[in-house]
Amino acid sequence: MRVESVTIKGFRLFEEATVSLDELTTIIVGRNNSGKTSFVELFYKFFRVEKVDRFTIDDLSRQQRKLLEEAGNAWTQARKYDEEGNQNVAIVEENRAIGKLPRIMLEVEFSYNDSEPLTPLAELILDLDLKRHDALLSCRYHIARPREFLKEFHASRYDNILDFTRRRMHYFSREFFAIDKNDRDNRRLLDPKSVKNALACDFIYAQTLFDDTALDNGHGLSRGFEKYYRTIANGEDVLNQLEDAIQKVSNQLDVEYEALFQSVFTDLKEFGVEGMSPLQGVKVKSFFRPESLVNNSTKVVYEDESGYFLSEAHNGLGYTKLIYIVLQLVSFFEEYNARQPISGTHLLFVEEPEAHLHPQMQSVFIRSVTEYIKSKNWNAQLVITTHSSHIITESGFKGIRYFDISRGVLRIKDLTNFRGDLTRRDKTSTLQFLEQYMELRRCDMFFADKIILIEGVTERLLLPRMIELSAPSLAHECISIIEVGGAYAIKFRELLQFLDVPTLIITDIDSGKSTGKHEKCPTTISDAVTTNMTLKNWLPKINYVTDLLNMSDSKKLDPCGNIRVSYRIPEAGNTRAGRSFEEAFILANAKKFAEQASNLVSSKVFRNRGSEYYGETDIESKSYEIAERIDSKSDFAFDILLMEGWGTPKYIEEGLRWLASQTR
């Protein structure tokens, strides 16, 4: 059995959202403050915290707080109707007020098959349909005594019901129900034991109690081993072994104590203490309990090559972090396995495991933990929140859930659905390309505020400086810059449309002759066509270069409105457009090249056969030939970085300014 999906209502950013869970590993990604931590926190508040007051009024979603205010106003209005003698209207307003009181809901849907024992879900299964294999656990946090709550508010000194509620959270309570999802009136109130039989939850957070400095007094790794001991200490064999060892130490200490404290006992006799009580004389005896011996009395150390033991603070954070996570997981398994009865499903929440782990270790961690779960036949599902492109790489698209808050309302985007949609549309080649790209390259677009697709190394090297010159506000946003070559931007179309992140595609116009194999040619050829797949088949879906150069900005936008293409256009006061980035940059900075060409590694391309450097006019007229003579694009990019006073080509500047204007 497993958790199929969870639905959240009224909690922080979650007005109402459903998240499907992968059968083994679900990876939750998204920008900062998109609800990833809140998702984990809600499970903690419902399943791991005994005290109801761990919820606060700030946990209510914006809509729920608005409903609370409306409830307070409705109750106040009801009192006015009551004072005026309109009893029936007052009752209607009272019921309206009660109906608007806030609540936080978490619903967990389970699935199971006929071969599994149903004991863990027995209290949750309400239907008698043998063809169904589902159960629904509903968790509710609400005001249990609504009339008493509203009456006290009306009698209080508070005008604002939000301020009143903040100090009256004791009116709220948690309840758990089994619900038939096909007949929601068919429900059963559950006790905490039944809930735990169905679902266990454990958590590993990013922040732990250790560091790698000499001031580390937390000894977080040692604490982890202490916790692991407490987990396994119920075993009779473990306890018997420890108690035998401890008894030997105790017997020896008793002899030492008697000699050590003999003078004290003699003094006590002189004061007549022993005569004050009918009890026997005072003695000091050693008394150890195995669990107290482990607590605060064990330390993790590292042995160096010479056999010398160093404290845990001498090891790197990453290595220590990995050991700690593994130790936690092993402890969770031992505890889960020791439960009677064993919970039907175990959810393991791991928050940002990449903290302190280098990239390779991040990838290894995901592989290893899933293999460990499988090897133990552990009925557990991992839920991982992350900002690591390396962890995403290990998961492919199947387990990724993208939390998107760009439109002001949290949307959960299931990349399993995206993957299936590509398959249904016979776009398996696109899917294979994207999965391989994610495997080979860092894919941080899932965490970005905005995305820029570029063709090659020259643009990648120069883009940060161009952003500073043309759209400095972008420097303060999280921008994912993806190098896709000349022919592959179109392969990202479906993914970019699915993610709905503001995206700028910077690409060459790639002009070619209209006949034959479309050999490349200057953009000034009258019937030149573009060989660029993005321009031909996506944006703006035009073949002829002349039409592209006359295209309005609105036609350069994808129908979703969030994606724009920028390709070569003439600079101000010029009619010539560059075919490539290099030519476009030369046209935009002809004067600078005329002044500084002699200082460049690529200086020879700016000279004629007589070794004379071209002037500004010659550079503009010969831009295509000059660009074609450039041997190394990376050398040319570094030459540009050494130049002074250069400007951003117009098409890139327009694109960057458009991207800067997009708000999420």
Side-chain angles (χ1 to χ4, degrees), residues 239-288:
L239 287 177
N240 290 338
Q241 292 173 17
L242 279 174
E243 287 178 353
D244 289 345
I246 289 170
Q247 188 59 49
K248 293 178 182 178
V249 175
S250 295
N251 293 338
Q252 182 177 351
L253 284 175
D254 287 344
V255 175
E256 299 291 337
Y257 287 163
E258 186 171 0
L260 181 64
F261 295 112
Q262 184 60 50
S263 62
V264 177
F265 297 148
T266 301
D267 291 339
L268 288 175
K269 288 181 180 179
E270 292 191 11
F271 279 93
V273 170
E274 290 188 349
M276 298 178 184
S277 171
L279 299 178
Q280 298 298 318
V282 179
K283 287 184 177 291
V284 176
K285 299 281 288 182
S286 61
F287 178 73
F288 295 117

Coordinates of all heavy atoms in Angstrom, one line a residue, residues 239-288:
L239 N 20.3 -5.3 25.4 CA 20.2 -4.9 26.8 C 21.0 -5.9 27.7 O 21.8 -5.5 28.6 CB 18.8 -4.8 27.3 CG 18.0 -3.6 26.8 CD1 16.5 -3.8 27.3 CD2 18.6 -2.3 27.3
N240 N 20.9 -7.2 27.5 CA 21.6 -8.2 28.3 C 23.1 -8.0 28.2 O 23.9 -8.0 29.1 CB 21.2 -9.6 27.9 CG 19.8 -9.9 28.3 OD1 19.2 -9.3 29.2 ND2 19.2 -10.9 27.6
Q241 N 23.6 -7.7 26.9 CA 25.0 -7.6 26.7 C 25.5 -6.3 27.5 O 26.6 -6.4 28.1 CB 25.3 -7.4 25.2 CG 25.1 -8.7 24.4 CD 25.3 -8.5 22.9 OE1 25.8 -7.5 22.5 NE2 24.7 -9.4 22.2
L242 N 24.8 -5.2 27.3 CA 25.2 -4.0 28.0 C 25.2 -4.1 29.5 O 26.0 -3.7 30.3 CB 24.4 -2.8 27.5 CG 24.7 -2.2 26.2 CD1 23.7 -1.2 25.8 CD2 26.1 -1.6 26.3
E243 N 24.1 -4.7 30.0 CA 23.9 -4.9 31.5 C 25.0 -5.7 32.1 O 25.5 -5.5 33.2 CB 22.5 -5.4 31.8 CG 21.5 -4.4 31.6 CD 20.1 -4.9 31.9 OE1 20.0 -6.1 32.1 OE2 19.1 -4.1 31.8
D244 N 25.4 -6.8 31.4 CA 26.5 -7.6 31.9 C 27.8 -6.9 32.0 O 28.5 -6.9 33.0 CB 26.7 -8.8 30.9 CG 25.6 -9.9 31.0 OD1 24.8 -9.8 32.0 OD2 25.5 -10.7 30.1
A245 N 28.1 -6.1 31.0 CA 29.3 -5.2 31.0 C 29.2 -4.2 32.1 O 30.2 -3.9 32.8 CB 29.5 -4.6 29.6
I246 N 28.1 -3.6 32.2 CA 27.9 -2.5 33.2 C 28.0 -3.1 34.6 O 28.6 -2.4 35.5 CB 26.6 -1.8 33.0 CG1 26.6 -0.9 31.7 CG2 26.2 -0.9 34.2 CD1 25.3 -0.4 31.3
Q247 N 27.5 -4.3 34.9 CA 27.6 -4.9 36.2 C 29.0 -5.1 36.7 O 29.3 -4.9 37.8 CB 26.8 -6.2 36.2 CG 26.6 -6.8 37.6 CD 25.9 -5.8 38.5 OE1 24.8 -5.3 38.2 NE2 26.4 -5.6 39.7
K248 N 29.8 -5.5 35.8 CA 31.2 -5.7 36.1 C 31.9 -4.4 36.5 O 32.6 -4.3 37.5 CB 32.0 -6.3 34.9 CG 31.6 -7.7 34.6 CD 32.3 -8.2 33.3 CE 31.9 -9.6 33.0 NZ 32.6 -10.1 31.7
V249 N 31.6 -3.3 35.8 CA 32.1 -2.0 36.2 C 31.6 -1.6 37.5 O 32.3 -1.0 38.3 CB 31.8 -1.0 35.1 CG1 32.3 0.4 35.5 CG2 32.5 -1.4 33.7
S250 N 30.3 -1.8 37.7 CA 29.7 -1.4 39.0 C 30.3 -2.0 40.2 O 30.5 -1.4 41.2 CB 28.1 -1.6 38.9 OG 27.5 -0.9 37.9
N251 N 30.5 -3.3 40.1 CA 31.1 -4.1 41.2 C 32.5 -3.5 41.6 O 32.8 -3.4 42.8 CB 31.2 -5.5 40.9 CG 29.9 -6.2 40.8 OD1 28.9 -5.7 41.3 ND2 29.8 -7.3 40.0
Q252 N 33.3 -3.2 40.5 CA 34.6 -2.6 40.8 C 34.5 -1.2 41.4 O 35.2 -0.9 42.3 CB 35.4 -2.6 39.5 CG 36.8 -2.1 39.7 CD 37.6 -2.1 38.4 OE1 37.2 -2.7 37.4 NE2 38.8 -1.5 38.4
L253 N 33.6 -0.4 40.9 CA 33.4 0.9 41.4 C 32.9 0.9 42.9 O 33.3 1.8 43.7 CB 32.4 1.7 40.6 CG 33.0 2.2 39.2 CD1 31.9 2.9 38.4 CD2 34.1 3.2 39.4
D254 N 32.1 -0.1 43.3 CA 31.6 -0.1 44.6 C 32.7 -0.2 45.6 O 32.7 0.4 46.7 CB 30.6 -1.3 44.8 CG 29.3 -1.1 44.1 OD1 29.0 0.1 43.8 OD2 28.5 -2.0 43.9
V255 N 33.7 -1.1 45.3 CA 34.9 -1.2 46.2 C 35.6 0.1 46.3 O 36.1 0.5 47.3 CB 35.8 -2.3 45.6 CG1 37.1 -2.4 46.4 CG2 35.1 -3.7 45.6
E256 N 35.8 0.8 45.1 CA 36.5 2.1 45.1 C 35.8 3.1 45.9 O 36.4 3.9 46.6 CB 36.7 2.5 43.6 CG 37.6 1.6 42.8 CD 39.0 1.5 43.2 OE1 39.5 2.5 43.8 OE2 39.7 0.5 42.9
Y257 N 34.5 3.1 45.7 CA 33.6 4.1 46.4 C 33.7 4.0 48.0 O 33.8 5.0 48.7 CB 32.2 4.0 46.0 CG 31.9 4.5 44.6 CD1 30.7 4.2 44.0 CD2 32.8 5.4 43.9 CE1 30.4 4.6 42.7 CE2 32.5 5.8 42.7 CZ 31.3 5.4 42.0 OH 31.0 5.9 40.8
E258 N 33.7 2.7 48.4 CA 33.8 2.5 49.8 C 35.0 3.0 50.4 O 35.0 3.6 51.5 CB 33.7 1.0 50.1 CG 33.5 0.7 51.6 CD 33.2 -0.8 51.8 OE1 33.1 -1.6 50.9 OE2 33.1 -1.2 53.0
A259 N 36.2 2.8 49.8 CA 37.4 3.4 50.3 C 37.5 4.9 50.1 O 38.0 5.6 51.0 CB 38.6 2.7 49.5
L260 N 37.0 5.4 49.0 CA 37.0 6.9 48.8 C 36.2 7.7 49.8 O 36.6 8.7 50.2 CB 36.6 7.1 47.3 CG 36.6 8.6 46.9 CD1 38.0 9.1 46.8 CD2 35.9 8.7 45.5
F261 N 35.0 7.1 50.1 CA 34.1 7.9 51.0 C 34.2 7.5 52.4 O 33.3 7.9 53.2 CB 32.7 7.8 50.4 CG 32.5 8.4 49.1 CD1 32.2 7.6 48.0 CD2 32.6 9.8 48.9 CE1 32.1 8.2 46.7 CE2 32.4 10.4 47.7 CZ 32.2 9.6 46.6
Q262 N 35.1 6.7 52.8 CA 35.2 6.1 54.2 C 35.3 7.3 55.2 O 34.6 7.2 56.3 CB 36.4 5.2 54.3 CG 36.5 4.5 55.7 CD 35.2 3.7 56.0 OE1 34.8 2.9 55.2 NE2 34.6 3.9 57.2
S263 N 36.1 8.3 54.9 CA 36.3 9.4 55.9 C 35.0 10.2 56.1 O 34.7 10.6 57.2 CB 37.4 10.3 55.4 OG 37.1 10.9 54.2
V264 N 34.2 10.3 55.0 CA 32.9 11.0 55.1 C 32.0 10.2 56.0 O 31.3 10.8 56.8 CB 32.3 11.2 53.7 CG1 30.9 11.8 53.8 CG2 33.2 12.0 52.8
F265 N 31.9 8.9 55.8 CA 31.0 8.1 56.6 C 31.4 8.2 58.1 O 30.6 8.2 59.0 CB 31.0 6.6 56.1 CG 30.5 6.4 54.7 CD1 31.1 5.4 53.9 CD2 29.6 7.3 54.2 CE1 30.6 5.3 52.6 CE2 29.1 7.1 52.9 CZ 29.6 6.1 52.1
T266 N 32.7 8.2 58.4 CA 33.2 8.3 59.8 C 32.7 9.6 60.4 O 32.3 9.7 61.5 CB 34.7 8.2 59.8 OG1 35.1 7.0 59.2 CG2 35.2 8.3 61.2
D267 N 32.8 10.7 59.6 CA 32.4 12.0 60.1 C 30.9 12.0 60.4 O 30.4 12.6 61.3 CB 32.7 13.1 59.1 CG 34.3 13.4 59.0 OD1 34.9 13.0 60.0 OD2 34.7 13.9 58.0
L268 N 30.2 11.4 59.5 CA 28.7 11.3 59.7 C 28.3 10.6 61.0 O 27.4 11.0 61.7 CB 28.0 10.6 58.5 CG 28.0 11.4 57.2 CD1 27.5 10.5 56.1 CD2 27.2 12.6 57.3
K269 N 29.1 9.6 61.4 CA 28.8 8.9 62.6 C 29.1 9.8 63.8 O 28.3 9.8 64.8 CB 29.7 7.6 62.7 CG 29.3 6.5 61.8 CD 30.3 5.3 62.0 CE 29.9 4.2 61.0 NZ 30.8 3.0 61.2
E270 N 30.1 10.6 63.7 CA 30.4 11.5 64.8 C 29.3 12.6 65.0 O 29.1 13.0 66.1 CB 31.7 12.2 64.6 CG 32.9 11.3 64.7 CD 34.3 12.0 64.7 OE1 34.2 13.2 64.9 OE2 35.3 11.3 64.6
F271 N 28.7 12.9 63.9 CA 27.6 13.9 64.0 C 26.3 13.2 64.4 O 25.2 13.8 64.6 CB 27.3 14.6 62.7 CG 28.3 15.7 62.5 CD1 29.5 15.6 61.8 CD2 28.0 17.0 62.9 CE1 30.3 16.6 61.6 CE2 28.8 18.0 62.7 CZ 30.0 17.9 62.0
G272 N 26.3 11.9 64.6 CA 25.1 11.1 65.0 C 24.1 10.9 64.0 O 22.9 10.7 64.3
V273 N 24.5 11.1 62.7 CA 23.5 11.0 61.6 C 22.9 9.6 61.6 O 21.6 9.5 61.4 CB 24.1 11.3 60.3 CG1 23.2 11.0 59.1 CG2 24.6 12.8 60.2
E274 N 23.7 8.6 61.8 CA 23.1 7.2 61.6 C 22.1 6.9 62.7 O 21.2 6.1 62.5 CB 24.2 6.2 61.6 CG 25.1 6.2 60.4 CD 26.1 5.0 60.3 OE1 26.2 4.4 61.4 OE2 26.7 4.8 59.3
G275 N 22.2 7.6 63.8 CA 21.3 7.4 64.9 C 20.0 8.0 64.7 O 19.0 7.8 65.5
M276 N 19.9 8.9 63.7 CA 18.6 9.6 63.5 C 17.6 8.8 62.7 O 16.5 9.2 62.6 CB 18.9 10.9 62.7 CG 19.8 11.9 63.5 SD 20.1 13.4 62.5 CE 21.2 14.3 63.6
S277 N 18.0 7.7 62.2 CA 17.1 6.9 61.3 C 17.2 5.5 61.6 O 18.3 5.0 61.9 CB 17.5 7.2 59.8 OG 16.8 6.3 59.0
P278 N 16.1 4.7 61.6 CA 16.2 3.3 61.8 C 16.8 2.6 60.6 O 17.0 1.4 60.7 CB 14.7 2.9 61.9 CG 13.9 3.9 61.2 CD 14.7 5.2 61.3
L279 N 17.0 3.3 59.5 CA 17.6 2.6 58.3 C 19.1 2.3 58.6 O 19.7 2.8 59.5 CB 17.5 3.5 57.1 CG 16.0 3.9 56.7 CD1 16.0 4.9 55.5 CD2 15.2 2.7 56.4
Q280 N 19.6 1.4 57.7 CA 21.0 1.0 57.8 C 21.9 2.2 57.4 O 21.4 3.2 56.9 CB 21.2 -0.2 56.8 CG 20.4 -1.4 57.2 CD 20.8 -1.9 58.6 OE1 22.0 -2.0 59.0 NE2 19.8 -2.3 59.3
G281 N 23.2 2.0 57.6 CA 24.2 3.1 57.3 C 24.2 3.5 55.9 O 23.9 2.7 55.0
V282 N 24.7 4.7 55.7 CA 24.7 5.3 54.3 C 25.9 4.7 53.6 O 27.0 4.5 54.1 CB 24.9 6.8 54.4 CG1 25.0 7.4 53.0 CG2 23.8 7.5 55.2
K283 N 25.6 4.4 52.3 CA 26.6 3.8 51.4 C 26.5 4.5 50.0 O 25.4 4.9 49.6 CB 26.5 2.3 51.2 CG 27.0 1.5 52.4 CD 26.9 0.0 52.2 CE 27.5 -0.7 53.4 NZ 29.0 -0.5 53.5
V284 N 27.5 4.6 49.3 CA 27.5 5.0 47.9 C 27.7 3.8 47.0 O 28.7 3.1 47.0 CB 28.6 6.1 47.6 CG1 28.6 6.4 46.1 CG2 28.4 7.3 48.4
K285 N 26.7 3.6 46.1 CA 26.7 2.4 45.2 C 26.6 3.0 43.8 O 25.9 3.9 43.5 CB 25.5 1.5 45.5 CG 25.5 0.9 46.9 CD 26.5 -0.3 47.0 CE 26.0 -1.5 46.2 NZ 27.0 -2.6 46.3
S286 N 27.3 2.3 42.9 CA 27.2 2.7 41.5 C 25.9 2.2 40.9 O 25.5 1.0 41.2 CB 28.4 2.2 40.7 OG 28.5 0.8 40.7
F287 N 25.3 3.0 40.1 CA 24.0 2.5 39.5 C 24.0 3.1 38.1 O 23.9 4.3 37.9 CB 22.8 3.0 40.3 CG 21.5 2.6 39.7 CD1 21.1 1.3 39.7 CD2 20.7 3.6 39.0 CE1 19.9 0.9 39.1 CE2 19.5 3.2 38.5 CZ 19.1 1.9 38.5
F288 N 24.1 2.3 37.1 CA 24.1 2.7 35.7 C 22.8 2.1 35.0 O 22.5 0.9 35.2 CB 25.3 2.2 34.9 CG 26.6 2.9 35.5 CD1 27.6 2.1 36.0 CD2 26.8 4.2 35.4 CE1 28.7 2.7 36.5 CE2 27.9 4.8 35.8 CZ 28.9 4.0 36.4

